[in-house]
Amino acid sequence: MDKIDQSVGACLPEIQSFSLFQGQTKESLQSLCLGASIEVNSHREECFVLGESASHFGLVLSGAYKLVRVSSEGTETILYFATPGDLVGTLVMNKAKPTYPVTSVAMGPSRMLKIPRSTYIERWLAYPQLILEIQSALSQRMSQLQMQKSMLKAPLSVKVAQLLIEISERESKSSETNYLPLPITRREIAESLGASVESVIRVMSDWSKNKIIETKDQRINLLRFDKLLEEGQKLE
Amino acid sequence: MDKIDQSVGACLPEIQSFSLFQGQTKESLQSLCLGASIEVNSHREECFVLGESASHFGLVLSGAYKLVRVSSEGTETILYFATPGDLVGTLVMNKAKPTYPVTSVAMGPSRMLKIPRSTYIERWLAYPQLILEIQSALSQRMSQLQMQKSMLKAPLSVKVAQLLIEISERESKSSETNYLPLPITRREIAESLGASVESVIRVMSDWSKNKIIETKDQRINLLRFDKLLEEGQKLE
DNA sequence: CGCCTCTTTGAGCTCAATCAAGGTGTGTGG
DNA sequence: CCACACACCTTGATTGAGCTCAAAGAGGCG
């Protein structure tokens, strides 16, 4: 049997619950986690850094990470919000000399399972089912990016609504009591949409006034999901 | 030996030249092309249509295709310009009941190799090397999308410059005598960037006046690639 | 308590969208 | 062969959504 870190072993049930590992046995999971370790990050700590040699890839265990790219002028762009079950850095694992294409920054206290590239090459690739799961995750992220691209001409309110809807649907599929499963600031929404903070705030405070959303304990609750959906469809 | 269509057989050398099939033997190629056929499209003809059941995926042989999504209001968004060697539709091949996520439209006379999904499932998946190549192609497209996302706040001229550079670099890696390997209109550039035709024209006619680009026979030539690069770096 | 980040609001400005009108080139049918 | 349609390109005038700048209040934390 493969030797794995004790703390990782303790997390196996948690790991197994992610849809990525549908149908994997406890044994295969252990094999897939060879050499893995758990990194605990506090708010705004960086886990993987853009440009650095990619020796590991990651699986978000808890909390959330934003995947960020900084331009030469210091303006940040957020490319993706990674939530539990999301893989980070798998895109470059196949490259010969991989470097991280983005920086991942913890949003609030978070935990990342860091798995060596060698384990990916030697073990993950041996599970066709897993490769397909990864591809399907990539495809989902791809279609999110494409969706955003096709909304380029839409007004800002539509973009914000779509983003909130997309993120909230990650976790709960129930249409009731929707909330965002990560502590996201208006600045981060702006940086994700390529808008200014002020504009995002103007859009969202309108919604707050109309009781469509509410902000409590740094969490955004979607009170009137229907209204938000309506807003998100305004493409006229 | 696998039986393949005669016209496909005639194209095997052409197909083999694509980097996707690096190191594949003629025999394995034939196996990968089982049941494939070549579709010849004229300008503006549709090859795969959004929403239709995805029975085949495609490999662009010659010409070019734009991958398009139409919004409810009839405004087209171009998600990608597919040039020879590009795969179309592989993203959804792993899904249980796949439908095309975009419509692909020929730009000028073009040829697409259409390969049955069953061949993908039964044969392509058996070549790990191929799967990695596909992933790497996906990753390239992904990073193009991410790049574009990170340029959301840049002025239009920067976006246009980057797009022209990106497309021109597909083919020739030589820095001299750059031209775009596909007949692209200003409207299409606009639809790809989420801008208006008029704005794109204003940017590009400035460049024409300054002899940075020229339009001849529906082709765009990049006369001063250096100037364009410079333009593309204007991020301040 | 001072520092830092996040949020908020107002005022003014700007880039690019929209609207309008005309020019060019190509294919098609009478 | 002409004329008509159609797609594309171009230019100018006007407008507005969202950006920038500025200033200030509200937690949270060492």
Side-chain angles (χ1 to χ4, degrees), chain A residues 154-156 194-196 198-199 202 218:
Chain A
L156 184 58
S196 71
E198 296 94 327
S199 300
R202 275 182 248 269
Q218 300 167 41

Side-chain angles (χ1 to χ4, degrees), chain A residues 47-63:
Chain A
C47 183
F48 301 114
V49 178
L50 178 136
E52 287 188 357
S53 161
S55 58
H56 294 69
F57 68 106
L59 171 69
V60 180
L61 291 177
S62 63

Side-chain angles (χ1 to χ4, degrees), chain B residues 155-156 195-196 198-199 202:
Chain B
L156 183 59
S196 71
E198 296 94 325
S199 300
R202 273 182 251 270

Side-chain angles (χ1 to χ4, degrees), chain B residues 94-123:
Chain B
N94 298 318
K95 303 231 166 103
K97 257 183 109 355
T99 58
Y100 297 115
V102 291
T103 298
S104 47
V105 182
M107 304 167 72
S110 307
R111 283 153 59 244
M112 179 85 82
L113 182 69
K114 297 178 85 165
I115 307 174
R117 186 171 116 89
S118 56
T119 300
Y120 179 86
I121 302 289
E122 291 158 20
R123 315 215 160 191

Side-chain angles (χ1 to χ4, degrees), chain A residues 142 146 149 152, chain B residues 43-44 58-69 76-89 102-108 110 112 137 140-142 144-145 148 159-171 180-195 200 204 218-220:
Chain A
M142 192 102 167
Q146 292 186 341
K149 181 165 182 181
L152 277 175
Chain B
H43 186 44
R44 243 178 297 165
L59 171 70
V60 180
L61 291 178
S62 64
Y65 292 81
K66 52 180 173 182
L67 307 191
V68 173
R69 192 178 278 180
E76 284 198 351
T77 311
I78 295 178
L79 295 169
Y80 186 71
F81 296 104
T83 46
D86 266 323
L87 288 171
V88 178
V102 291
T103 298
S104 47
V105 182
M107 304 167 72
S110 307
M112 179 85 82
Q140 214 166 324
R141 244 149 95 178
M142 192 104 166
Q144 193 204 326
L145 280 171
Q148 291 182 352
K159 298 187 206 169
V160 177
Q162 286 286 3
L163 182 65
L164 295 185
I165 291 170
E166 192 271 324
I167 294 179
S168 78
E169 281 180 340
R170 296 255 190 98
E171 294 283 282
L180 295 198
L182 66 166
I184 191 175
T185 69
R186 280 125 226 265
R187 171 175 304 278
E188 284 162 340
I189 293 175
E191 280 166 358
S192 168
L193 296 176
V200 171
M204 291 181 64
Q218 299 169 39
R219 295 270 168 163
I220 296 170

Side-chain angles (χ1 to χ4, degrees), chain A residues 11-24 29 33 38 58-63 82-87 111-113 115 124 130 133 170-171:
Chain A
C11 289
L12 277 183
E14 196 180 351
I15 296 170
Q16 195 165 23
S17 72
F18 296 131
S19 67
L20 180 67
F21 299 109
Q22 281 298 340
Q24 298 287 346
L29 255 194
C33 290
I38 293 176
L59 171 69
V60 180
L61 291 177
S62 63
T83 46
D86 267 323
L87 287 171
R111 283 153 59 243
M112 180 84 82
L113 182 69
I115 307 173
W124 286 53
L130 203 52
E133 289 286 346
R170 295 256 189 99
E171 293 283 283

